[in-house]
Amino acid sequence: MAFEQKYDAATREAATARVLERRATNPKDRHVFMVVADEFGVGQQSLRAWVAAATPESDKPARKKQRPRFSAVVTTKVAPDDEPAAASDEIEAVADPEIPVSRSAMTPDKDPAPADTKVTALEAEAADLRRGNDALKAAMRLLLDA
């Protein structure tokens, strides 16, 4: 049994012509497909497909550039260490050979305390979020058991 088309060619052509006519008179009308589909008793998606097939590429409305779904990823580039080799040799010569010393430990940080406060603040926030999740889970258990 061959596939039978639900709508005849005359209905397709008339509905397509009606959509194109309404678009020409009022291009900002957002309900064209709904109104014409109801008028001819056809499905909106069928009508959209017919109009897309009948409309040449040059007549189609230009699509706006779509916004990205997520914000752009921020990348940070770290500049290479430009210290001369002699300075690192002096640091290693002064340091006790028993204690491992890294270059970052020998260079003075601008403000080492904020890193510790940031970590403790983040840990406190994580604990608070865990407590909130536990409360939500308990509430869901009560609602689902009732």
Side-chain angles (χ1 to χ4, degrees):
M1 181 169 146
F3 175 74
E4 295 181 26
Q5 293 184 346
K6 190 172 181 179
Y7 306 107
D8 61 339
T11 304
R12 286 184 190 186
E13 290 174 9
T16 304
R18 182 76 174 129
V19 167
L20 294 175
E21 176 187 321
R22 286 184 64 119
R23 271 192 182 168
T25 57
N26 189 5
K28 293 185 178 182
D29 187 7
R30 299 176 66 192
H31 303 286
V32 172
F33 288 106
M34 183 175 65
V35 171
V36 174
D38 288 343
E39 182 181 331
F40 285 91
V42 298
Q44 288 184 30
Q45 291 300 338
S46 298
L47 186 57
R48 287 179 200 277
W50 300 341
V51 170
T55 306
E57 289 293 323
S58 61
D59 291 346
K60 290 184 180 178
R63 293 198 113 180
K64 294 179 181 177
K65 184 179 177 184
Q66 290 184 342
R67 287 184 13 210
R69 294 182 76 184
F70 301 103
S71 62
V73 176
V74 178
T75 57
T76 305
K77 293 184 180 179
V78 178
D81 195 14
D82 292 334
E83 289 183 14
S88 62
D89 292 340
E90 291 173 9
I91 292 172
E92 291 173 6
V94 173
D96 188 15
E98 299 280 327
I99 303 170
V101 177
S102 67
R103 181 177 292 182
S104 62
M106 294 301 290
T107 56
D109 290 336
K110 292 180 181 174
D111 200 8
D116 293 336
T117 57
K118 287 179 185 178
V119 170
T120 54
L122 288 173
E123 287 174 349
E125 183 180 355
D128 188 38
L129 290 172
R130 283 191 196 99
R131 281 192 298 272
N133 282 343
D134 292 339
L136 288 173
K137 287 177 187 177
M140 287 301 293
R141 282 191 205 107
L142 287 174
L143 290 174
L144 294 175
D145 289 341

